Amino acid sequence: MKPNEELTATEAVRRALSHEFSEVTALEDAVRTDEVDAVHGVRVALRKMRSFLMIFRPVLDGMAARRLGAELRWAGQQLAAARDLEVLESRFAKEFAGAIKRGHPVPDDVRRLIDADLARRHEVALERATEALDRPRWTAMKGQVAAFLEPGAQLDGAAKAEPELSKLARRSERRVARRAAVAETDPGHLDLWHDVRKAVKSTRYAWEAVAALDGGTEADEAEATLWKAASSAFGELQDTSVALETLDDYARHAQMAGDPSEAYLSLNKHLTSTGKRQLAKARKMLAAALSAG
C-alpha cells in the first residue's frame, strides 16, 4: 500500500472513509449491549464520514457522495436520541453536584424525578437505536458504503492528497465564516450558533484528516488543533442549550401540576449564566481558528 504522501486526494479520502466505516462496524455489538461510549463512537464515525463526503466531494463521485451522505445522515439520526440522553444524564448529574457545592442542593424529589425520567427515556431511545441496527435499511447503508469504497468506484484524478485536501478544508472555513456572520447579527439567538457549530465540526474533521496524512504539515496540525478547540467549545454550549430546553419542559410540567418550580428556576439561572460564558468562549475560539486561515 502506498504511503500517504504518495496518495492522490481521492485515495486519501477513500482511506479515511474506510477507517471510520471500520469503527462503525466494530462498535455495532457494543451499541447492542450498551457499552460505555459505543453509541457516541458510532455517531462520531458517521459524522466524520458525512463531513468527508461533503467537504471533499470535488475529488469524489459527487452524485454517489450525496446519496451516501443522505443514508449516513439517516443512520446517525437513529442513534441521536440515545446519545443526547446519555449527555443529559451526565450533565444533570454534574448540575446536581454543583448545586450542592453552591449551597443550594436540588430537592431530592426533583432530582429523583429528573433522574428517573431521563433513565426511562434513555432506555427507550437505546432500544430504538439497537432496533435500527437490524433494519434492512441499515444493512443497505453498509452495502452502499462498501460499494462506494470499491476500487474504481471513484473517478481518481492525479491531484496529490495534502495540497488538494487542505485547499478543500480551507474552503470549508469560508462556509463557517458565512454562518458565523449570520449568527453575529443576533448573537443571543442560539439556533444560529447551532448551525455554526455543525459547520465548525465538519471543518475540524476535515483538517484532522489532512493532518493525519504522512504528508501533512505542521501548519495542518495547527489548523486541526484550532478547529478542535472551537468545536469542543461549541459542543459544550450545545450541551448546555439542550439541558436548558429539557429543564424548561420540567418546569412547565411542574407549574401545570401545581408543584413547586423554584428548583428548576434556580438550575435555569445557573445554566443560563454558564451558557453565556460558553458562548463567549466559543466565539473567541472560532475567531482564532478563522483568523489563522
Side-chain angles (χ1 to χ4, degrees), residues 164-182:
E164 184 66 18
L165 299 188
S166 62
K167 179 182 73 175
L168 294 174
R170 186 75 67 196
R171 189 171 76 172
S172 178
E173 293 183 10
R174 295 195 287 273
R175 175 168 164 263
V176 176
R178 289 193 297 270
R179 292 192 179 188
V182 173

Side-chain angles (χ1 to χ4, degrees), residues 18-32 41-42 45-46 49 133 138 141-143 145-146:
S18 180
H19 174 76
E20 299 306 327
F21 184 48
S22 296
E23 288 291 299
V24 171
T25 56
L27 288 170
E28 285 180 334
D29 286 342
V31 170
R32 291 184 175 92
V42 173
L46 291 168
M49 292 172 71
L133 300 184
W138 188 277
M141 176 273 294
K142 293 197 296 181
V145 174

Side-chain angles (χ1 to χ4, degrees), residues 4 76-77 89 97 100 123 144 149 160 172 198 236 255 282:
N4 280 334
Q77 289 171 339
E89 286 180 306
I100 292 174
E123 183 178 357
Q144 193 171 339
L149 297 176
K160 294 301 180 183
S172 178
K198 291 187 288 186
E236 292 172 359
Q255 291 169 351

